[in-house]
Amino acid sequence: MAAAAVTAVGLEPLEVVGLSYAPQGISLLSKIDFTIEARGAVTVIMGPNGAGKSLLLRLLNGLLEPSAGQVSWNGHAPDEQCRRRQSFVFQRPVLLRRSVRANVEFVLRLSRAISRRECRTRAESLIRRAGLAGRELLPARQLSGGEQQRLALVCALANDPEVLLLDEPTASLDPASTAAIEAIITDCREKAMTVLLVTHDAGQARRLADDVIFLAKGRVTEHTPANQFFDSPCSAEARAYLDGRLVL
């Protein structure tokens, strides 16, 4: 009965209460509380290096177990069933030693019962969405860094997730690849997908964010609508960060 209930409703809201992560007693995240209500919004997670942004994303997805507190997706823990309805894209693309097309088709077959013809049709559509038409048979690892990340992103979208978690997907990429990935993220929002995006790029956050979670020293110092965050940040840490000062 519980499994049926999870698949019958959406994953929103996301509620985080008292979330802490302290491996070997070393506190990396402490007493984090926030709620994300809206579906089809981009929540940007920002903060200085070492603030715990990537750790928070992994805890939300259930890749790590918290030391205390809880993560709840519409009343359910981030277990295997929840993760099947989410996709995670890491900073460094995770791809198979296969062709571009074979990478996409592998994910499609893994996520659903699908005919060979439908698999090929959907794969071609996703490859076009990544801007990689004409490169279907090229080994994925021969693509440029930006092309690999675009391929990883459309692979993540192959199972039509409700939630997309992105850990600095455009770090060190050229402007053209960054623009292509941002266009895909915007398209995801328009299709009512919830996106959680870790980024250091304040310009990118301004372009994409509906709301911003700001982390400093393993704590959330504010969670506000994007326009409020950029126009009048509440915390001293966020003001310093946006001013380009070091946050110690």
Side-chain angles (χ1 to χ4, degrees):
M1 294 296 292
V6 174
T7 56
V9 296
L11 292 177
E12 295 76 18
L14 165 63
E15 297 177 298
V16 178
V17 180
L19 187 67
S20 297
Y21 185 65
Q24 289 80 52
I26 300 171
S27 180
L28 301 179
L29 292 171
S30 181
K31 298 179 181 178
I32 289 177
D33 299 281
F34 64 84
T35 299
I36 297 174
E37 296 277 0
R39 183 172 185 176
V42 177
T43 297
V44 167
I45 302 172
M46 298 184 72
N49 286 331
K53 303 181 297 297
S54 295
L55 286 175
L56 176 58
L57 209 62
R58 285 160 172 76
L59 286 161
L60 298 180
N61 185 238
L63 293 175
L64 295 174
E65 288 287 335
S67 303
Q70 65 180 13
V71 174
S72 172
W73 292 93
N74 197 12
H76 298 272
D79 55 15
E80 182 61 29
Q81 284 207 328
C82 269
R83 283 196 295 275
R84 285 182 191 146
R85 300 164 69 191
Q86 303 176 9
S87 286
F88 200 120
V89 177
F90 297 90
Q91 183 174 340
R92 297 185 66 179
V94 179
L95 298 169
L96 301 173
R97 294 182 182 275
R98 303 182 186 181
S99 70
V100 168
R101 178 189 291 158
N103 268 270
V104 180
E105 290 181 346
F106 175 82
V107 179
L108 286 167
R109 292 195 184 101
L110 193 67
S111 62
R112 69 187 70 196
I114 188 171
S115 69
R116 179 172 295 184
R117 175 177 289 185
E118 184 183 357
C119 185
R120 179 61 55 88
T121 299
R122 282 186 55 81
E124 289 175 353
S125 175
L126 287 163
I127 290 167
R128 287 194 301 271
R129 192 174 181 186
L132 296 173
R135 303 197 178 193
E136 292 88 348
L137 301 182
L138 193 69
R141 298 193 180 190
Q142 288 185 14
L143 298 173
S144 70
E147 290 170 337
Q148 287 189 29
Q149 191 63 292
R150 277 149 44 200
L151 176 58
L153 180 51
V154 296
C155 283
L157 297 175
N159 65 342
D160 297 320
E162 293 178 39
V163 177
L164 182 63
L165 302 104
L166 305 172
D167 191 2
E168 298 196 59
T170 61
S172 303
L173 296 189
D174 61 276
S177 292
T178 296
I181 287 172
E182 289 186 5
I184 295 173
I185 294 171
T186 299
D187 183 58
C188 290
R189 174 206 277 138
E190 292 172 354
K191 292 179 178 177
M193 191 181 300
T194 297
V195 180
L196 289 94
L197 167 66
V198 169
T199 184
H200 277 100
D201 186 339
Q204 181 173 80
R206 287 178 183 271
R207 290 189 294 273
L208 295 176
D210 293 294
D211 59 305
V212 176
I213 295 171
F214 190 84
L215 284 174
K217 298 179 181 179
R219 294 177 178 270
V220 172
T221 67
E222 60 185 287
H223 177 205
T224 54
N227 57 355
Q228 179 180 334
F229 176 80
F230 290 110
D231 292 344
S232 54
C234 300
S235 67
E237 293 89 348
R239 288 194 294 272
Y241 184 87
L242 291 175
D243 287 344
R245 293 180 278 127
L246 295 174
V247 181
L248 303 176

